[in-house]
Amino acid sequence: MSTLPESQDALERYAVIDASAIRHNVGVIADYVRPAKVMAAVKADGYGHGLLAASRAAVDGGADWLGVAHVSEALQLREAGFEIPVLAWLHTHATPFSAAIAGNIDLGVSGWELGPIAEAAEALQAPAHVHLKLDTGLGRNGSPASQWPALFAEAASLQERGVISIEGIFTHLAVADEPDRRETDEQLGLYHEALDLADEFGISPDFRHAANTPAALSRPDSHFDMVRVGVGIYGQSPFADRSSADLGLRPAMELRTSVAHVKRVPAGQGISYGLTHRVDRPTSLGLIPLGYGDGVPRISVDAPVSINGRVYRSVGRVAMDQFVVDLEDEDTNVQVGDPVVLFGGDSGLCAADWGRAAQTINYEIITRIGDRVPRIVVGQSE
């Protein structure tokens, strides 16, 4: 088990992952959506928090299922000893369906996958557990409404033959993070129609699921039998006007490093590639040894960091390995080696602050932190 280093010098840069926060967040959401079950989305390396650490914390917090995009992620969970139900929903022609079926991994089916999955199941002489994915308006994966009758007919036939077991029917919501948008009502209405149609084909699965994190927290009518929550279990708010604290959630990632260099510069000094920023007075600059090679967005402008409890702002372009902050005083007290927090912990800064600076969302900020940044997991259960 990794522990937080006693010395700031122990690691040059690292992300502290608080497993107790993930457990807490899963519990908060589970309490809110009960009696619906909770599927914790741990795709994309647990949204950057580490697949296995995030999965263990989610299970300890009460998650009933784990959800991933790719079968390869699900197989990692099985290899690590996770026996909890797992759903993988994004496939290509190279997806190892046989390994998934052998590993008791549930598979999302949007249409074309049903044939290869059925072939793999017949070869193994074991039924594949599938969840039929329906496009109710998002326009990405999922079967369009015009193909639902054909999909339901084929799936019902395969189920009758014992080749597959239809465990679920699900869809994904496009604008649930904007609660006033009417499209969520339209999608849920279409989903109800799909469920009625499926019933006509004799398909009545145990798990109907539509809600993502924002819908789980704002649309009880979308909970059905299970919700699929991603960013919320990592303590991030999906809403522009509500913070994590407003939702009772605790951010689970803190991104830390230390000041790599401090120097005085005169008025007019240009900073970083392109010289897009020049200081308008004599000041001191601090060099922060994290860059877009570590997942810090190059596009970030005026992004915050906390040094010794005070917030400073980035100036100039983020480079591959570093960026610069204006220390706002020619005679700064900041020194090389002083701790730096980009977001999380007790800094008062959050991933959404960096999202605004980079014209993106908190989801992307936490997920893109790269492998060059070690994850230090704290707060793990016994």
Side-chain angles (χ1 to χ4, degrees):
M1 179 189 304
S2 298
T3 56
L4 190 62
E6 295 180 2
S7 170
Q8 184 73 22
D9 298 328
L11 290 172
E12 293 181 316
R13 60 199 63 80
Y14 56 96
V16 181
I17 307 302
D18 186 353
S20 69
I22 296 175
R23 292 197 304 273
H24 165 83
N25 298 330
V26 171
V28 167
I29 294 169
D31 285 343
Y32 189 78
V33 304
R34 194 171 280 115
K37 294 185 180 297
V38 172
M39 179 185 292
V42 293
K43 59 181 180 170
D45 198 31
Y47 282 52
H49 293 66
L51 173 64
L52 301 184
S55 298
R56 173 53 55 204
V59 172
D60 289 345
D64 304 286
W65 284 68
L66 296 175
V68 294
H70 306 305
V71 165
S72 59
E73 298 170 304
L75 292 173
Q76 289 181 59
L77 292 171
R78 289 291 184 251
E79 290 166 5
F82 286 88
E83 298 179 356
I84 187 173
V86 178
L87 173 66
W89 53 72
L90 182 59
H91 314 302
T92 72
H93 73 282
T95 295
F97 292 122
S98 294
I101 296 167
N104 195 29
I105 294 163
D106 286 42
L107 297 165
V109 170
S110 295
W112 71 267
E113 311 97 328
L114 201 51
I117 289 172
E119 289 181 11
E122 288 181 313
L124 290 170
Q125 296 187 333
H129 292 183
V130 304
H131 296 234
L132 303 179
K133 175 72 177 290
L134 309 180
D135 180 7
T136 57
L138 182 60
R140 297 189 321 191
N141 209 8
S143 175
S146 62
Q147 297 177 17
W148 292 349
L151 175 65
F152 292 156
E154 184 179 4
S157 175
L158 289 170
Q159 178 164 257
E160 188 173 346
R161 289 168 46 198
V163 177
I164 67 170
S165 174
I166 304 171
E167 305 294 321
I169 296 178
F170 70 120
T171 192
H172 196 52
L173 301 175
V175 294
D177 56 329
E178 301 176 63
D180 294 334
R181 298 272 299 262
R182 71 178 188 280
E183 290 93 337
T184 300
D185 292 325
E186 294 169 355
Q187 282 195 259
L188 291 175
L190 195 54
Y191 181 59
H192 277 286
E193 293 179 19
L195 294 174
D196 290 340
L197 180 62
D199 189 61
E200 293 178 14
F201 284 87
I203 300 173
S204 299
D206 290 335
F207 297 105
R208 302 163 299 161
H209 45 113
N212 50 10
T213 294
L217 295 172
S218 68
R219 295 290 303 248
D221 59 333
S222 72
H223 292 172
F224 296 99
D225 305 301
M226 183 161 62
V227 301
R228 302 184 312 274
V229 289
V231 78
I233 74 169
Y234 305 104
Q236 302 293 329
S237 172
F239 303 112
D241 60 349
R242 279 178 278 177
S243 68
S244 300
D246 292 335
L247 300 170
L249 305 176
R250 291 165 41 195
M253 179 186 289
E254 179 184 7
L255 184 58
R256 301 179 64 95
T257 185
S258 61
V259 177
H261 189 56
V262 176
K263 64 181 178 184
R264 293 183 177 184
V265 296
Q269 172 71 53
I271 299 172
S272 196
Y273 293 122
L275 300 178
T276 58
H277 181 89
R278 293 183 183 273
V279 297
D280 59 4
R281 68 206 182 287
T283 188
S284 291
L285 303 176
L287 191 65
I288 311 302
L290 284 163
Y292 63 77
D294 305 293
V296 177
R298 181 178 181 271
I299 196 176
S300 302
V301 175
D302 198 34
V305 304
S306 176
I307 305 174
N308 298 329
R310 179 177 169 183
V311 174
Y312 299 93
R313 297 281 171 172
S314 68
V315 288
R317 285 180 178 158
V318 173
M320 185 179 294
D321 312 297
Q322 57 200 279
F323 65 92
V324 176
V325 295
D326 188 340
L327 298 174
E328 301 177 356
D329 191 339
E330 193 174 10
D331 298 318
T332 181
N333 292 322
V334 174
Q335 301 178 18
V336 170
D338 283 352
V340 179
V341 180
L342 277 70
F343 57 82
D346 298 325
S347 67
L349 303 177
C350 61
D353 296 323
W354 274 85
R356 284 186 286 272
Q359 302 175 41
T360 186
I361 55 176
N362 50 359
Y363 298 63
E364 181 178 349
I365 297 300
I366 58 174
T367 303
R368 67 184 294 160
I369 302 303
D371 292 339
R372 194 163 65 168
V373 180
R375 271 58 167 180
I376 307 299
V377 182
V378 300
Q380 296 183 95
S381 64
E382 293 302 320

